[in-house]
Every structure is written in structure tokens, then in C-alpha cells.
């Protein structure tokens, strides 16, 4: 009997120890699960905060274009994100651009490639905002498109500047004078159509080259000295410059040059516009030669030749007065 009691006590002790170990493991598992849940929640909150603090708008849409998530920055366009979810994003694309956007969205989603698309978004107040969308496709385990995720970026100011720059450049192309922009090293950044015509060059060939390419070494050295002097003085100058064209014609042009600066006022290069004054210079030379010719004739005459103004003041008298 005593032996049976001892065996029973041993069995009970082992069962109690096993139960305590199981409970300890269960507590540990529950603790780890709770910790994982807390970490997951913290991680989710972290990424949510990160998404909501960016300037770009994070989105997700189905392959059919139905919006399933939009960042809170959609308020910039007048919408609460909840107003747009479950709707097709094409409804909010400018009507004249919808066909282009649908084509890019469909092909991009099918290929799974990131693609930037620019179009006008219809704001809640009826205005429009230029946006750039960059998206990427997420596929399911069968290789079928599951959703597209990406970012929406407001590029309205960029488009405004591009339009202003394009308009300004178009305006420069209507000017008869040769307009140009060079950096500090004399490398051309821009030339207008008049420059191309006057010097028989193409814009795409000149951009990235210096004056040697356009005018040759001798003229380029003269231009370089003028440019460096003007950049050093940080002032605008109007100077006469000349060169010989590829057809052998000698031309003279009056150029207004001024240094270009960045937002900090640092000199970045030089820009200018030149006007061909070759004809005027030829006329001036002819007049000068004619004046000298007749002056020589007058000065050889023995009689005194003179002119006076209405006040009786002598304005000219020939050397024979001596």
C-alpha cells in the first residue's frame, strides 16, 4: 500500500510539473503574441503617420480604376479621402485627357511597370490642378493584377513655370537679334532662331559647345575676354563685336551683354542679344569717305570757303584763310 501511495504521489508530482510547464509556455506564448500585436500596431501607426506626413499623396486603385485608398492630402484638392474611395478615378480627370490617361493606366497596370503620367485633376470647386501620377502594379499569386499603388504629386507650379518659360522662349524666337545664354565657362545653354540663321548653325549642335565651335579661335578669344570682363564687373555693357561668317562675309553687331545670377545672387554665366549693324557701319564708312573726299577738295581751293549759322557765327572756314 505504501508503495502504491508513493507511486501515486510521484505521478501526481509529474503531472503537476507538466501542467505548470504547459501553463508557463502558454503564458509565454500569449505574452509573445501580445507583444507582436503591439509591435504590429506600432508599426502600422508608424507607417500611417509616415504616409500622412509626406507632401505626395499615396493612393491605391483596383485594375478597373476604383480608388481604394487616398492619403489625407487630398484635402488640398477640396476632397475628403472618403468622398473619393469606391469611385473611379477617371471621373476626376479632365475630359479631354481621359483617353490618354486610360491608355497609360491600362497598359501600365498590365505590364506592372512604374510610369509617370501628367494630367489635370478636377478639384471639388471646379478648378483644375496639374498632377503627376507614378504607380506600380501589385500582382496576386496567379500573376493577375491585384491593385496599383503609387503617389500623386502636385505639379501645378512646375507646369506654370514651364508654360512661362515656353512662352518666353517663343517670344525670343520672334526677335531679329541674336539671343544667347552661356555659362561661366562660355558653354552655350541657349540660342534663338535669329542666332541660328545669322551664323548658319543649328541649335542642337551649338548647345553644349563654346564660341570656338561657332566663330573660330580668333573671334572666340575676343568674345571670351569681353564676357569675363562683364561677369567680373557684374554690370551690363553694350559693345561692338565682329566676326567673319562661313561664307567669308565680315559682319559687325552691337551686343548688349549682362551677367546671369542664381537665387543667391551668384554669377552663373552671361546672356545677351546682338543686332547686326553691318549695313549701318558700311553706310557710316561711305559717308566718312565721302566727307573726307569733299573736305580734301575744299581744302585745296585757293579761295576762302566758309559757312555761318543764323547768328552769324562761323561754323566752317577753309585753310586758305591763312
Amino acid at each position: 500500500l505504501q508503495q502504491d501511495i508513493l507511486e501515486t504521489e510521484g505521478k501526481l508530482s509529474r503531472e503537476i510539473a507538466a501542467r505548470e510547464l504547459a501553463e508557463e509556455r502558454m503564458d509565454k506564448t500569449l505574452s509573445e503574441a501580445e507583444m507582436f500585436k503591439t509591435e504590429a500596431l506600432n508599426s502600422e501607426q508608424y507607417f500611417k503617420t509616415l504616409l500622412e506626413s509626406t507632401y505626395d499623396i499615396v493612393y491605391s486603385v483596383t485594375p478597373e480604376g476604383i480608388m481604394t485608398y487616398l492619403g489625407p492630402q487630398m484635402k488640398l484638392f477640396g476632397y475628403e479621402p472618403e468622398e473619393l474611395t469606391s469611385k473611379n478615378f477617371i471621373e476626376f480627370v479632365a475630359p479631354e485627357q481621359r483617353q490618354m490617361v486610360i491608355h497609360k493606366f491600362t497598359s501600365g497596370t498590365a505590364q506592372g511597370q512604374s510610369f509617370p503620367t501628367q494630367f489635370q485633376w478636377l478639384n471639388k470647386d471646379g478648378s483644375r490642378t496639374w498632377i503627376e501620377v507614378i504607380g506600380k502594379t501589385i500582382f496576386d499569386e496567379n500573376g493577375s493584377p491585384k491593385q496599383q499603388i503609387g503617389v500623386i504629386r502636385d505639379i501645378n507650379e512646375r507646369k506654370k513655370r514651364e508654360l512661362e518659360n515656353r512662352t518666353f522662349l517663343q517670344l525670343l524666337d520672334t526677335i531679329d537679334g541674336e539671343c544667347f545664354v552661356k555659362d561661366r565657362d562660355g558653354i552655350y545653354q541657349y540660342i534663338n532662331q535669329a542666332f541660328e540663321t545669322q551664323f548658319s548653325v543649328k541649335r542642337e549642335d551649338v548647345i553644349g559647345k563654346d564660341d570656338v565651335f561657332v566663330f573660330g579661335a580668333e573671334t572666340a578669344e575676343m568674345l571670351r575676354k569681353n564676357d569675363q570682363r562683364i561677369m567680373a564687373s557684374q554690370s551690363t555693357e553694350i559693345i561692338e563685336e565682329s566676326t567673319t561668317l562661313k561664307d567669308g562675309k565680315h559682319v559687325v553687331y552691337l551686343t548688349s551683354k549682362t551677367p546671369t545670377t542664381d537665387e543667391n545672387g551668384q554669377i552663373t554665366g552671361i546672356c545677351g542679344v546682338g543686332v547686326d549693324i553691318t549695313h549701318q557701319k558700311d553706310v557710316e564708312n561711305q559717308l566718312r569717305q565721302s566727307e573726307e573726299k569733299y573736305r580734301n577738295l575744299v581744302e585745296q581751293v585757293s579761295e576762302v570757303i566758309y559757312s555761318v549759322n543764323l547768328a552769324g557765327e562761323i561754323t566752317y572756314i577753309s585753310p586758305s584763310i591763312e
Side-chain angles (χ1 to χ4, degrees):
L1 181 60
Q2 186 175 3
Q3 183 65 30
D4 291 340
I5 293 174
L6 290 175
E7 289 179 357
T8 301
E9 288 179 348
K11 184 177 180 181
L12 289 173
S13 296
R14 287 192 297 273
E15 289 180 355
I16 291 172
R19 184 178 297 176
E20 288 177 348
L21 180 61
E23 290 177 352
E24 183 180 344
R25 288 177 176 174
M26 179 63 72
D27 291 341
K28 184 178 180 181
T29 301
L30 291 174
S31 177
E32 289 176 348
E34 189 65 29
M35 184 182 300
F36 177 79
K37 179 181 178 181
T38 302
E39 289 178 352
L41 290 174
N42 290 338
S43 177
E44 181 182 353
Q45 183 62 37
Y46 170 77
F47 285 108
K48 182 179 179 182
T49 302
L50 185 63
L51 291 177
E52 293 179 353
S53 63
T54 60
Y55 179 76
D56 295 334
I57 304 170
V58 178
Y59 75 89
S60 66
V61 296
T62 67
E64 295 74 33
I66 303 300
M67 295 178 281
T68 56
Y69 174 81
L70 289 164
Q73 299 89 337
M74 284 303 299
K75 295 177 181 179
L76 297 173
F77 303 144
Y79 299 101
E80 293 293 335
E82 295 76 16
E83 296 181 70
L84 301 179
T85 51
S86 300
K87 295 183 178 180
N88 196 305
F89 79 92
I90 292 297
E91 299 175 27
F92 303 90
V93 177
E96 68 275 12
Q97 298 173 324
R98 287 176 183 173
Q99 186 174 357
M100 175 272 294
V101 173
I102 290 173
H103 172 72
K104 286 197 171 185
F105 174 76
T106 303
S107 59
T109 301
Q111 296 172 14
Q113 298 176 347
S114 297
F115 61 100
T117 305
Q118 296 180 1
F119 57 89
Q120 287 180 302
W121 182 267
L122 302 178
N123 300 326
K124 192 170 184 177
D125 62 3
S127 62
R128 297 183 177 194
T129 299
W130 275 100
I131 63 173
E132 182 177 64
V133 178
I134 304 175
K136 189 173 185 179
T137 306
I138 303 298
F139 295 91
D140 60 20
E141 60 276 7
N142 299 318
S144 300
K146 181 179 180 182
Q147 64 176 333
Q148 184 191 109
I149 60 174
V151 294
I152 300 170
R153 182 169 298 159
D154 184 342
I155 59 170
N156 217 43
E157 286 301 315
R158 187 208 305 175
K159 279 291 185 179
K160 182 179 178 182
R161 290 194 299 271
E162 287 177 357
L163 177 60
E164 291 173 348
N165 290 338
R166 185 163 57 251
T167 303
F168 178 68
L169 294 178
Q170 289 172 344
L171 176 62
L172 290 181
D173 276 337
T174 66
I175 297 175
D176 289 335
E178 299 82 36
C179 301
F180 63 87
V181 178
K182 293 185 280 188
D183 64 16
R184 290 185 62 90
D185 298 321
I187 304 300
Y188 280 97
Q189 307 299 306
Y190 169 80
I191 61 171
N192 69 343
Q193 287 183 0
F195 192 105
E196 292 181 285
T197 302
Q198 173 71 352
F199 302 117
S200 302
V201 293
K202 293 183 179 180
R203 187 174 303 177
E204 57 269 24
D205 295 333
V206 172
I207 303 303
K209 306 289 190 348
D210 59 12
D211 286 314
V212 175
F213 176 82
V214 181
F215 304 107
E218 185 177 349
T219 300
E221 179 62 18
M222 177 266 295
L223 297 176
R224 184 185 65 83
K225 289 180 179 179
N226 290 340
D227 293 349
Q228 289 182 339
R229 183 186 68 257
I230 292 169
M231 286 190 289
S233 67
Q234 300 185 22
S235 60
T236 300
E237 283 190 30
I238 300 177
I239 55 178
E240 265 189 29
E241 297 176 324
S242 62
T243 188
T244 301
L245 302 180
K246 295 178 180 179
D247 60 4
K249 179 183 176 182
H250 185 75
V251 294
V252 181
Y253 42 98
L254 195 64
T255 309
S256 176
K257 293 185 174 183
T258 190
T260 58
T261 58
D262 60 17
E263 61 276 8
N264 299 316
Q266 300 297 314
I267 302 295
T268 58
I270 193 166
C271 65
V273 55
V275 178
D276 187 349
I277 60 170
T278 306
H279 178 68
Q280 293 92 315
K281 295 296 291 185
D282 289 342
V283 171
E284 288 177 8
N285 289 333
Q286 291 172 10
L287 289 173
R288 187 179 303 109
Q289 292 171 5
S290 178
E291 180 184 355
E292 291 176 356
K293 175 182 177 181
Y294 286 104
R295 179 182 292 273
N296 289 333
L297 288 174
V298 168
E299 291 180 353
Q300 297 302 318
V301 176
S302 59
E303 286 82 1
V304 176
I305 299 176
Y306 69 94
S307 65
V308 296
N309 60 21
L310 293 179
E313 299 169 335
I314 299 174
T315 56
Y316 173 79
I317 193 163
S318 63
S320 56
I321 188 64
E322 296 179 2

